[in-house]
């Protein structure tokens, strides 16, 4: 684990638990002479947790904390996050109330549903709000959102439709939470989501959320999905930790273990608990201790993957290229050989692989359009502006790409996700 990661983990633990953060003790523990605060700040931003740790950082002695410029920028972003969170909560409450008045059953998901488990809920960053409705209510729910001033910005995904509005939080309206191959008994999972719902307040409105047992399972499925296609970072782990710490006494852990096996995510669930135990020192429930993973090299790889992933697993272009190679190969294909093979896989995925992506779903009905899809893919890669041409060129010449992709593929196999 890199030095900056060690400091970030210590800060997060202090922020999530309320335990004090003593920088001198931290430096001594990790055998460090000083903290590179700019590096820690940028790492925290990459994982979407910089606002969470701000209350801890601001209490440090001036000579031991970040410089004034960094601290001021940090302060502004934390304040902005807090204001946005309050506004988003009120607006989400209005949407949930409108759904209720229209007779639409809905479940509020993910960040907005669990943020009150945090010591400072308003500092949990959020890009959008996720709401699940029944398939038969999708059209009616969409009409409600359109009447409220939202517009559809993407309807190509098989699981959800994306809505955006002026000066309000984007909404992903879900008909499904998962249609992935690694999930077993998918129909049972979607049926059991609607059982034992809980109610929370959003301003003057109410919203239904998943039971805490199902919340744990859904978070695992959500993390596993991100891990397969891109990756996930510390914010998702923080969500898991705060829900566990706040609700562990009311969760049926034997039932969670049984359902994780039914859904095909038992190995992933156990591994996530081991990672959280290692990074955040939580006690693993007795029912979930299972085999000892503490010395398992794949657990080390899992931790490394999370720390290198950022919020959505696309921390840098190297990471994006590795993800692309893995997505476009089968679990036993001998494809991680050399840069020529890697370049070919990146540019010309098979029809079966490419058609699983939302923007190329037309290939399912029209496979003969594969050459057109390849051109579309290459054009997007050439025109994307988040990485310059020099960086893109270096990716195709990277001799380590094959080895990195192989290691990540082995991790996914160990977690039973491929």
């Amino acid at each position: 684990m890199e030095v900056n990661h060690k400091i970030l983990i210590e800060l997060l633990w202090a922020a999530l638990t309320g335990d004090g953060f003593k920088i001198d003790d931290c430096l001594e523990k990790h055998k460090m002479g000083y903290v590179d605060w700019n590096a820690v700040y940028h790492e925290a931003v990459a994982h979407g947790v910089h606002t969470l740790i701000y209350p801890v950082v601001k209490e440090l002695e001036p000579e031991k904390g970040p410089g004034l410029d960094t601290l001021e920028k940090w302060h502004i972003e934390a304040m902005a996050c807090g204001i946005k969170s309050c506004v988003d909560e009120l607006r989400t409450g209005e949407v949930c109330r409108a759904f209720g008045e229209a007779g639409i059953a809905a479940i509020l998901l993910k960040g907005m549903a669990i943020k009150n488990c945090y010591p400072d809920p308003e500092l949990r960053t959020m890009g959008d709000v996720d709401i699940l409705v029944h398939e038969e209510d999708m059209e009616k729910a969409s009409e409600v959102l359109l009447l409220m001033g939202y517009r559809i910005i993407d309807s190509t995904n098989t699981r959800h439709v994306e809505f955006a509005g002026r000066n309000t939080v984007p909404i992903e309206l879900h008909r499904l939470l998962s249609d992935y191959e690694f999930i077993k008994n998918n129909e049972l999972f979607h049926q059991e989501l609607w059982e034992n719902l809980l109610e929370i307040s959003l301003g003057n409105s109410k919203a239904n959320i998943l039971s805490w047992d199902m919340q744990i399972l859904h978070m695992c499925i959500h993390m596993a999905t991100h891990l397969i296609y891109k990756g996930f970072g510390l914010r998702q782990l923080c969500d898991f930790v705060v829900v566990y710490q706040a609700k562990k006494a009311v969760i049926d852990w034997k039932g969670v273990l049984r359902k994780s096996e039914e859904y095909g995510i038992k190995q992933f669930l156990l591994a996530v608990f081991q990672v959280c135990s290692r990074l955040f020192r939580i006690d693993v429930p007795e029912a979930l201790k299972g085999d000892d993973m503490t010395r398992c090299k794949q657990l080390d790889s899992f931790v490394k993957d999370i720390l290198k992933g950022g919020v959505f697993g696309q921390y840098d272009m190297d990471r994006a290229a590795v993800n692309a190679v893995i997505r476009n190969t089968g679990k036993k294909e001998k494809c991680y050989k050399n840069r020529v093979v890697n370049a070919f896989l990146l540019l010309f995925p098979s029809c079966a692989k490419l058609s699983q992506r939302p923007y190329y779903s037309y290939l399912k009905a029209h496979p003969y359009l594969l050459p057109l899809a390849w051109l579309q893919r290459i054009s997007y890669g050439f025109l994307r502006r988040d990485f310059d041409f020099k960086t893109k060129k270096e990716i195709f010449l990277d001799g380590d790409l094959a080895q990195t992709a192989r290691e990540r593929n082995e991790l996914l196999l160990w977690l039973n996700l491929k």
Side-chain angles (χ1 to χ4, degrees), residues 20-304:
F21 176 78
K22 297 181 179 179
I23 190 167
D24 292 332
D25 292 347
C26 186
L27 292 173
E28 183 179 352
K29 175 181 176 181
H30 297 296
K31 297 180 173 58
M32 299 166 56
Y34 68 98
V35 175
D36 183 346
W37 282 108
N38 283 332
V40 171
Y41 168 78
H42 288 296
E43 196 72 36
V45 170
H47 284 271
V49 296
H50 56 302
T51 51
L52 292 178
I53 61 176
Y54 174 71
V56 178
V57 172
K58 73 174 183 176
E59 296 300 325
L60 296 173
E61 298 175 33
E63 64 274 12
K64 296 180 180 179
L68 289 178
D69 290 345
T70 300
L71 195 60
E72 182 178 2
K73 179 166 61 174
W74 218 326
H75 173 75
I76 292 171
E77 290 174 350
M79 291 292 291
C81 178
I83 294 170
K84 180 179 182 298
S85 178
C86 294
V87 173
D88 289 350
E89 181 176 318
L90 290 172
R91 186 59 168 163
T92 303
E94 293 172 0
V95 170
C96 291
R97 185 171 65 248
F99 281 173
E101 291 171 351
I104 301 169
I107 303 176
L108 184 63
L109 304 165
K110 297 181 340 190
M112 188 65 77
I114 59 91
K115 71 172 191 171
N116 284 331
C117 292
Y118 279 92
D120 297 295
E122 69 281 359
L123 296 182
R124 198 280 191 184
T125 57
M126 217 170 303
D128 57 25
V129 167
D130 296 81
I131 299 175
L132 175 68
V133 299
H134 291 294
E135 172 69 42
E136 58 268 26
D137 287 330
M138 278 294 291
E139 185 176 348
K140 190 175 182 181
S142 296
E143 291 173 357
V144 169
L145 289 173
L146 292 172
L147 287 172
M148 295 183 72
Y150 285 87
R151 68 185 189 282
I152 296 174
I153 59 172
D154 188 354
S155 59
T156 60
N157 196 293
T158 58
R159 296 172 300 280
H160 63 255
V161 178
E162 296 180 22
F163 291 83
R166 180 175 295 181
N167 299 322
T168 189
V169 61
I171 288 177
E172 285 191 0
L173 185 66
H174 291 258
R175 57 167 61 87
L176 291 172
L177 295 188
S178 172
D179 57 3
Y180 302 106
E181 294 179 358
F182 73 90
I183 295 293
K184 299 178 181 177
N185 299 306
N186 213 352
E187 188 174 332
L188 176 65
F189 166 65
H190 282 93
Q191 174 186 325
E192 293 181 338
L193 282 171
W194 292 88
E195 297 176 1
N196 304 314
L197 297 180
L198 304 172
E199 190 177 76
I200 62 170
S201 296
L202 293 174
N204 295 322
S205 306
K206 302 289 184 181
N208 290 324
I209 65 171
L210 299 172
S211 69
W212 295 116
D213 292 33
M214 192 55 73
Q215 201 78 248
I216 289 288
L217 291 161
H218 176 236
M219 283 193 286
C220 283
I221 289 174
H222 182 63
M223 286 188 282
T225 301
H226 274 285
L227 186 67
I228 290 172
Y229 289 93
K230 295 179 180 179
F232 69 90
L234 289 171
R235 189 178 71 182
Q236 289 89 331
L237 274 192
C238 288
D239 286 350
F240 191 86
V241 168
V242 295
V243 169
Y244 169 72
Q245 294 287 69
K247 306 299 178 181
K248 59 185 176 182
V250 299
I251 293 175
D252 174 10
W253 293 108
K254 289 183 179 178
V256 167
L257 182 64
R258 185 182 65 256
K259 288 184 183 298
S260 73
E261 196 157 15
E262 291 175 356
Y263 303 155
I265 59 166
K266 177 181 175 181
Q267 177 73 354
F268 186 84
L269 171 70
L270 298 179
V272 167
F273 263 106
Q274 290 295 330
V275 168
C276 291
S277 177
R278 178 183 294 190
L279 297 182
F280 297 110
R281 305 189 291 278
I282 69 169
D283 296 322
V284 179
E286 194 66 34
L288 303 185
K289 287 189 175 176
D291 297 333
D292 184 14
M293 297 182 183
T294 54
R295 298 183 182 275
C296 177
K297 71 172 185 177
Q298 294 295 0
L299 192 68
D300 296 337
S301 297
F302 195 13
V303 171
K304 181 179 177 182

Side-chain angles (χ1 to χ4, degrees), residues 1-11 21 26 30 32 307:
M1 192 187 302
E2 296 179 6
V3 169
N4 296 330
H5 289 143
K6 293 178 180 178
I7 296 296
L8 180 54
I9 295 297
E10 297 282 358
L11 288 167
F21 176 78
C26 186
H30 297 296
M32 299 166 56
L307 294 177

